[in-house]
Amino acid sequence: MLTELRVRDLATIADVTLHLGPGLNVLTGETGAGKSMLVDALALLLGERAASGSVRPGAGKAITEGAFEGIDGPTRRAVEALGLDVEDGRVVVRREVSSEGRSRAWVNGSPTTAAVLTQLGALLVDLHGQHETQSLLHADAQRDILDSFAHAEADRSAVAEAHHALATLRAEEATLASKRDEVRRRADYLRHVVGEVDRARLKPGEDETLQIEARRLSQAGALAEQAQRIADALEGEGGNALGALGAADRALTGLEKVDPACAAWREMLDAGYANLSELARLAGAYAEEVQEDPERLAEVEQRRDLIFRLNQKYGATVEAVLATRAQSAAELDLLDTADVDLKALAARRAAADGALRAAAEALSMRRREAADRLARGVNRLLPQLGLTGGKLSVALAALPEPAVHGQESVVFNVQLNVGLEAKPLARVASGGELSRLMLALKVVLVRHDAIATLVFDEVDQGIGGEVGAQVGAALVEVAERHQVLVITHLPQIAARADQHLVVSKEARGGIATSDVEAIHGEDRVAEIARMLGDTEGEAARRHAQALLRKEGKVRR
């Protein structure tokens, strides 16, 4: 619940802190004192669009800050799903609006966005104020109210899961059919690719091997000549390197006899002799092996031309060409399997469609049964709340096919006066009527609503007397399970409050300034008397005391 709301430099508010408790909290005060401004501050805190004109004259920014405590269970999990931390069941929200209109927000000290605040606010506070901001007007909210009343959470989840499963199969089926049709259009080309590459009998790495062979064949004479020069330099008559190593060997033998330390050179000399001997053998063999072979060169070049043409069509390397061939073959294989796979998918889709329709029908049955009960429960309360001719009905309009939320739309229709046609709620209700309709719904739904804090503005618009007392009784019933904050001008409601806050306004430093004070005892008697229309008369005071005693808020 909301335990503290602090507002600074917002319109007429300089610096006000509201300490709120469980049960029924009321805000009263003279017209124009700034009561609704506090509700606006709360709306701003919970994601409402910020306006620069709301900043108090002379201030650089307006600040609203609220502390919510006791956040646990499903609400806590939903808050954490937004990426926000809940510290010991507590969330502190702060919003700043600069005089230029810029807005910043934090949750438990971490920066966040207005969009996240809106989602957070929907979890923590149900705010019923101005007509255009009330959730009851939205089709999604009406559907959620009916489903909550019907205990249809499991049925809704089943429909959503079945809808997702069907959508997945439909997408898979459409993708496969599209691929099959595309392969059919390209089948001749794909068969040509596979046939052409298969006829070439390519081997991985063949292009590089042929390139090396072509260079050898095209320069065979020069290569043989160079290799023979190496062989001759090592052991030929003109420059016998191996003969020189033999002379070195004999000289080293003489050295070893005189100085045994020179024996360490023997290993290097022997290794050099062995290496040069092997090099001479290899060079001689290479010179004999490399032969000019015009026929083989022509074959190699012809093969390279074939590979070059395939490279231009299907890939830069032999490996890429082979990969293109494999892909083409795989696509052709799809033609052999797609129809069978599509039949299997169609069967699965039909089964999934049946499962969705069955789940949607189960949800519809719950909704139909609950719609009548919900309407009857609300309609019993409406006359007591000043809507004598009011009548709520819940219309379920079938959709062309089941959607993720079921197979029908949910619309609340209302008839506000006898003889008038029932119309969708959003088109006929004023702010006060809408608040009382919401109050009636909250009384009926009190055991189902998970939102801890409910705020009502304008709930008593245009009513008084016994109807006002009935509205107060309804608010008390809701406040038994929720924290309720009400802005009211009716003493019948104010007298029932567990906590009574008074908003006053006076000029301060030449600027109108609103203050809030929690009142008790004689101060509360005086405020109730003022609301009764007489701040000085003893009769009004006695009436105020009687109201408070009736509600058990003062001792006799």
Side-chain angles (χ1 to χ4, degrees), residues 382-466:
L382 291 183
Q384 303 172 30
L385 301 180
L387 298 173
T388 306
K391 185 177 180 181
L392 178 77
S393 60
V394 181
L396 304 179
L399 299 174
E401 63 176 27
V404 70
H405 294 299
Q407 61 186 1
E408 62 275 309
S409 62
V410 177
V411 179
F412 286 4
N413 292 319
V414 64
Q415 175 186 352
L416 289 178
N417 293 287
V418 176
L420 295 182
E421 179 186 358
K423 295 182 180 180
L425 185 60
R427 292 172 50 193
V428 298
S430 68
E433 291 165 340
L434 189 59
S435 290
R436 277 175 274 159
L437 279 165
M438 177 58 83
L439 179 58
L441 282 166
K442 289 301 177 183
V443 173
V444 176
L445 295 168
V446 69
R447 296 183 180 274
H448 307 270
D449 200 337
I451 298 178
T453 300
L454 308 177
V455 180
F456 291 94
D457 190 9
E458 299 184 343
V459 72
D460 56 8
Q461 179 179 325
I463 64 172
E466 183 57 30

Side-chain angles (χ1 to χ4, degrees), residues 237-278:
E237 295 179 0
N240 192 339
L242 290 176
L245 286 176
D249 179 72
R250 290 190 292 273
L252 179 58
T253 299
L255 281 172
E256 288 176 326
K257 291 178 180 179
V258 178
D259 186 356
C262 295
W265 301 353
R266 172 67 59 186
E267 182 178 353
M268 291 183 286
L269 182 61
D270 290 346
Y273 189 86
N275 288 334
L276 289 178
S277 295
E278 179 63 13

Side-chain angles (χ1 to χ4, degrees), residues 9 57 100 183 266 325 375 385 390 406 434:
D9 295 321
E100 294 81 20
V183 171
R266 172 67 59 186
R325 185 266 177 211
L385 301 180
L434 189 59

Side-chain angles (χ1 to χ4, degrees), residues 492-509:
Q492 301 96 312
I493 294 176
R496 292 175 175 267
D498 297 300
Q499 179 166 243
H500 190 158
L501 303 167
V502 175
V503 182
S504 60
K505 184 171 68 175
E506 63 180 4
R508 189 180 302 166

